């Protein structure tokens, strides 16, 4: 049964979780479908990605059947295997969006709980409806966030906020999430705004946008000297190249650039 749809339009990949009747909760089929969708988009020439969930909610996290399944699994074999570079399969559900070479904008409505929140955090930008509820929900079930959350959360929120969210599993509203850094901005129509933002990004130089994402990812983790060198190295590959010359020509002629 299909769990995720991927559509391409105007250089934008639209990735939609399509288990709306179950609040897009994560089961085995959904997990595999999300990973497959990410891998497909990674190999495409899309210039931006919109990630969303159909129905009332973005993603409510693991479904109850998945929790029941845990009792019959060897957690060491399941979780300690590095199946995707430095991550396991569950961690890759969130990290695959950060690994994509193009920016990802996530539209969030309803709830983003547990694994659903961590998937959203893998995006570059999150636009949420004002009524959205978000939670680092794992403590409710006696576990910890383990889908890349501890890579992504410390870059977004203060340590005391991270600890409060993790220790309590308490849902927070979208306005509080925006204030704390979990959400980029609020919108009464997050999907429409996410698409508009993706269209804006898709109109920029594709090579410059991908270089910027690589540089930002590196800048968040690497020492000053390496970041400065990477700035120079990435810029060398952009200046004077066809895409940059087209940007300049379009600016001078008052038109939109056209990239081949």
């Amino acid at each position: 049964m299909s769990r995720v749809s991927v559509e391409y339009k105007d250089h934008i990949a639209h990735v939609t979780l399509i288990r709306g009747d179950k609040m897009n909760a994560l089961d085995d089929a959904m997990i595999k479908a999300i990973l497959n969708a990410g891998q497909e988009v990674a190999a495409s020439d899309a210039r931006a990605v919109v990630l969303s969930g159909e129905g009332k909610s973005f993603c409510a996290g693991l479904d109850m059947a998945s929790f029941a399944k845990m009792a019959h699994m060897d957690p060491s074999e399941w979780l300690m295997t590095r199946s995707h570079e430095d991550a396991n399969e569950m961690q890759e559900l969130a990290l695959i969006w950060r690994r994509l070479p193009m920016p990802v904008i996530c539209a969030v409505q309803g709830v983003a709980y547990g694994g659903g929140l961590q998937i959203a955090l893998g995006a570059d930008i999150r636009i949420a409806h004002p009524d959205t509820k978000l939670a680092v929900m794992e403590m409710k079930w006696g576990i910890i966030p383990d889908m890349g959350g501890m890579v992504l959360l410390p870059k977004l929120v203060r340590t005391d906020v991270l600890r409060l969210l993790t220790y309590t599993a308490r849902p927070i509203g979208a306005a509080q999430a925006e204030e704390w850094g979990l959400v980029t901005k609020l919108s009464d129509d997050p999907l429409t705004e996410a698409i508009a933002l993706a269209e804006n990004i898709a109109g920029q130089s594709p090579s410059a946008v991908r270089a910027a994402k690589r540089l930002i990812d590196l800048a968040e983790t690497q020492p000053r000297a390496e970041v400065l060198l990477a700035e120079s190295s990435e810029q060398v590959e952009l200046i004077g190249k066809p895409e940059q010359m087209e940007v300049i020509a379009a600016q001078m002629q008052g038109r939109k650039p056209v990239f081949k």
Side-chain angles (χ1 to χ4, degrees):
M1 183 179 296
S2 179
R3 290 284 191 267
V4 177
S5 71
V6 182
E7 299 178 347
Y8 299 90
K9 182 180 179 182
D10 299 329
H11 307 290
I12 299 169
H14 297 252
V15 180
T16 309
L17 311 184
I18 53 173
R19 200 189 182 199
D21 59 322
K22 300 292 185 181
M23 297 176 71
N24 296 311
L26 303 168
D27 61 0
D28 285 345
M30 177 72 88
I31 289 166
K32 290 180 173 57
I34 291 172
L35 293 175
N36 288 339
Q39 291 163 1
E40 177 187 327
V41 173
S44 77
D45 60 357
R47 299 177 187 173
V49 181
V50 173
L51 175 62
S52 63
E54 71 169 11
K56 295 181 179 180
S57 288
F58 172 68
C59 179
L62 286 178
D63 69 1
M64 296 308 297
S66 297
F67 278 111
K69 182 181 175 182
M70 286 182 187
H72 305 287
M73 297 180 67
D74 176 0
S76 179
E77 180 180 351
W78 177 37
L79 297 176
M80 296 306 295
T81 300
R82 305 293 95 180
S83 55
H84 297 77
E85 298 184 19
D86 56 352
N88 65 32
E89 180 180 70
M90 299 302 292
Q91 292 163 334
E92 188 68 3
L93 287 176
L95 296 180
I96 195 168
W97 308 108
R98 191 55 58 91
R99 294 189 205 275
L100 288 185
M102 68 289 287
V104 180
I105 302 99
C106 186
V108 187
Q109 83 285 357
V111 304
Y113 287 165
L117 174 60
Q118 290 173 87
I119 290 171
L121 296 179
D124 296 71
I125 296 164
R126 284 158 297 287
I127 302 174
H129 189 276
D131 294 335
T132 304
K133 299 293 184 182
L134 306 94
V136 181
M137 188 65 79
E138 284 76 9
M139 192 62 67
K140 178 178 179 179
W141 306 106
I143 56 177
I144 59 168
D146 68 336
M147 288 173 50
M150 288 304 164
V151 171
L152 301 166
L153 282 163
K155 295 184 175 69
L156 297 171
V157 301
R158 303 188 318 256
T159 183
D160 58 329
V161 171
L162 171 57
R163 292 163 192 270
L164 184 151
L165 293 170
T166 304
Y167 298 159
T168 67
R170 190 180 301 157
I172 61 170
Q176 182 68 80
E178 181 187 26
E179 181 181 336
W180 280 346
L182 291 174
V183 167
T184 311
K185 65 178 301 187
L186 305 183
S187 171
D188 289 331
D189 190 346
L191 181 56
T192 296
E193 187 150 347
I195 291 171
L197 180 56
E199 289 172 346
N200 179 286
I201 292 170
Q204 312 297 331
S205 163
S207 59
V209 169
R210 290 189 176 210
K213 180 163 181 174
R214 287 193 300 270
L215 187 59
I216 292 168
D217 287 343
L218 186 143
E220 290 179 335
T221 60
Q222 300 303 313
R224 167 192 169 101
E226 187 166 343
V227 175
L228 291 173
L229 186 61
E231 279 187 0
S232 302
S233 177
E234 293 284 6
Q235 197 76 298
V236 165
E237 296 303 316
L238 297 173
I239 290 177
K241 301 300 190 295
E243 281 188 12
Q244 199 235 349
M245 300 310 293
E246 169 60 13
V247 169
I248 293 173
Q251 290 285 349
M252 297 295 290
Q253 296 167 18
R255 59 174 176 83
K256 293 182 178 181
V258 178
F259 304 107
K260 297 181 180 178

